[in-house]
Amino acid sequence: MSSTVPQWATESAASLEAAGWRVCTPGTRELGTPYEAVQTKPPEPDVVLFVLYVRGQMCGVVVAGAPQRVPEDLSEETGRLAARAAALGGSGGWRGGLPLPFRYVTDGARWWFRNILDAERVDGTLLVGAPEGGARSRRVFAPHQGATLERWMRQAQALADTPTLQARLRTLPSKPLTRRRLRAAQYRSIKNLERSLARGDRRSLIQMATAAGKTYTVVEESYRLLRHAQAHRVLFLVDRFNLGEQAYNAYRGFTPLGSNRSLHEQMPLRLFTKGAVAESDKIVISTIQRMWCRISGTEMPAPDDENFETERADKLAGDVATVRYNPELPPDFFDFIVVDECHRSIYNRWRPVLDYFDAHVIGLTATPTFRTFAFFDDNMVSQYSSAEAVADGVNVDYDIYKIATRITQQGSTIPAQKDFKAPDGTVERVNSVISKIHKPTRAERWHAVDDDDPYARTELNHRVRSKDQIRLVIETFRDRLFTEIFPPVVDKETGEIYSRQEIPKTLIFAHNDLHADAIVEAVRTAFPNKGDGFCRKITSQAPGARHSLSDFRNKSQPRIAVTVDMIATGTDIPALECLFFMRDIQSWAYFEQMKGRGARTVSDHDLRKVTRDAVHKDRFVIVDAVGVTEHEKTDARPLVRDNDEPVPSLEKLLSACAERRRLHVDDVATLAGRLGRLGRRLDGNARAAIEEHLGPDETYEDLVRGLVHAADTDRRLEARAKGEPVDEAAEISGAVRLLVESEELREALLSAARDSWLLIDDISLDQILEARGLRNEEEARSVVEDWHTYMTEHADEITPLRIAFRERRRPREVLDALKELIAKVRATRREWTEARLWKAYVDLGIARGTTRRNAGLIEFLTVMRFELGLDGDEFRPYRSTVEGRLEAWLARQDTAGVTFDERQRVWLSRIADAVAANATVSVASLDEGARRRAGGYGAFVDAFKDSRWEPEKLVDELDRELGA
């Protein structure tokens, strides 16, 4: 092209050539060239037109215009030019004289695409269900390759009524999708997602509680999209290597309903680690970091480098992971992208990867934040909360056990001198000498304490580690494990007490790797006879972490794992029964993800494979040793982004300020977190030395607050949604201005932070302040108040139950009325279950002296008797009511001259036990329960062979007298 050709025209031609099109003029076309972009006479001075030919057939146009031209105007222009080109081409047009279907608009840098076959057939007739206003245009990274258009043309000719992917999405069949193998929430998510895709939505968000089956849902949907919508390829993106392996196994383990061949046998599946993606691959699973390497031409890590994503990828990518056109992995390579754990920040640094591909993006998360909603255009197609998942039995609920110590809550002081008791009994004061560990190298040195060194609770495991605090917390856990945390359970039918002895699978969250080492040592000391395999550290820095994680998930050993962030999100360990927090969490989303590790259900058989004496997982326990469950959390990640290790050090961030490099918003957030933590351990002199270099009347806290404000992307997104002007770059520039301009301020901050030694306080002795199970009275009060409101508003629905109770109708009639009421309640409030309501009454102290767990129909019956005033003002456990009725019945029998011997009274007690457990009794149920305990129904008949009561009539009598 000559030098007079505008830059935007040159860039447009270059993009076409990069995508494999031969750019030429009508007079320079070459016979046999498969894909040509023929530049024709410009229709306007600031517009360039390219006509696209596939195998000699005209099929599309590219209208390139100056940047100042409005894209919408040029889009209208493409319609006119596509019709004109087709008319002039005549039989050379792919659709004869009909307008060319593939239409692009570009200003050289940005591209838009419209395929009119989304709304009409190849012959020009309108498709059934076509969107009003015709096919929509969309933004694309670059023009599609000629081979892609050729494939679309073949499909359009073969499938007259569904010529495009978008048209096929509007006609997806209901079968073979059935509810038989899907949970209701999964079925609902798939159907709602497909409605969204049929509308043409390019981004769709699925929110499902952790462990509710998000991955299985998209595995099923991937099959449907590939099989029935004839999608070309699906990409499943994660941001951690182990999550990719987990997804890969989920796809490999899936066999479509009605088929005897697994999904990967029908549609090639690839776990992308290195090299190229094969043309034959239909489902590709990759970390977003490796996919970026492939697109950008960056050297790929080794296939077995599991730590690349957490240790080096961020540095390679920089502030923004820029991408460039890669003909071996073009933007049209995937039709759908599933983004797992999409609440994380993959659309900050890594967003260009998502924007590169011309694909529908489907997000999966249990914990969407405001940023998540903004990215997915508020298009949440399905929502399934944790409360609903617990109510449906998809997840298990949790209890909280709190361990509070004096040092955990108040900190302590390392004394300059301590008492030393000599062998002869004399006590003298000696100077304190403690060890300290160099954090970067882990070198250990001895340190003489010159002055008393107080430390606050916030400095624990940052500046100081208390050996006795860790020891006391772990030993308290050990001592209370089988008495209070996992107490003995009473069998409802037999009354036998069942106690566990094998330690449940327990995951401990540590503050950092050094803290994790100390916890592992404390656990092994507290359980001296368990061996080294009993407890392992599983972090990204630990050797053999992948193998250890597999053992923790699938084998009996280890029983306890200590992690920082590696197992905090996404990782499935179904048999996990205890989460032990020895680090605090400020982010709501991150905490919910961590809780989700324990929420997954597991079959009794699979549970016993790793925990021999476990019977059934109906709950998990959060052991809270830091108060993590007691404070409000933000709807964002922690400021110091520990879950995106390694985070830049304070020194590196301040060096970036000194070099006047632009800081990414994540860096500003981390800088705020670093300085916030530093501020909590500053003494008066250090604080004064820093504030000397701040503005007049400005405090250290003002500096940190400014950084926090500038890092708040959620606030800016909310402001933009309201139409308020915001300038992220200006806010960041203002927040770091003093750090950029003042070398003295940077030096004062580094001087205060340079102490990279961790002091080991082995002098202070800790003490337990509190160790007990916590009850959420606030939530319980809300549940009971809501229930009272429901009863008032639906009094007519409760009337049949009230009448059945008052008239002492047959127990089965009462139970039927109860079940009918429960069904009506669940129809409007899925999260309202017998278990949740009962737990609320226990937590408020109304149902005193009863267990909070395993509640069912009998507990709901007890609640309703109380609320209807059938037992006066007293809350009476149902067993107490049954026992009282039995005593009254025996008294009446005695008055009538009927007596029972000792053996018969034992059987009467057993019948009462059966009624207390089931609200009714029958010969069949009595036989089933008695078979295990006393020889079955035959023994019962034998006991009453000389009684005035015939056995069957006696059972029927006691059913009426004791039940419901």
Side-chain angles (χ1 to χ4, degrees), residues 86 127 212 371 735 778 831:
L127 288 172
R371 183 185 295 108
E778 182 178 351
E831 72 275 15

Side-chain angles (χ1 to χ4, degrees), residues 319-320 656 659-665 667 728-729 732:
D319 291 341
V320 178
E659 296 168 8
R660 298 180 179 270
R661 283 187 274 137
R662 186 176 70 85
L663 293 185
H664 187 272
V665 66
D667 295 325
E728 178 179 287
I732 291 176

Side-chain angles (χ1 to χ4, degrees), residues 931-948:
R931 193 183 306 280
R932 304 197 315 262
R933 298 175 295 184
Y937 184 66
F940 169 68
V941 171
D942 185 65
F944 285 90
K945 64 183 178 181
D946 297 324
S947 170
R948 290 173 56 180

Side-chain angles (χ1 to χ4, degrees), residues 18 141 145 292-297 323-331 356:
F141 184 84
Q145 292 190 336
W292 168 75
C293 288
R294 186 76 184 109
I295 297 170
S296 64
V323 296
R324 62 189 182 193
Y325 188 91
N326 186 333
E328 295 179 356
L329 195 67
Y356 176 81

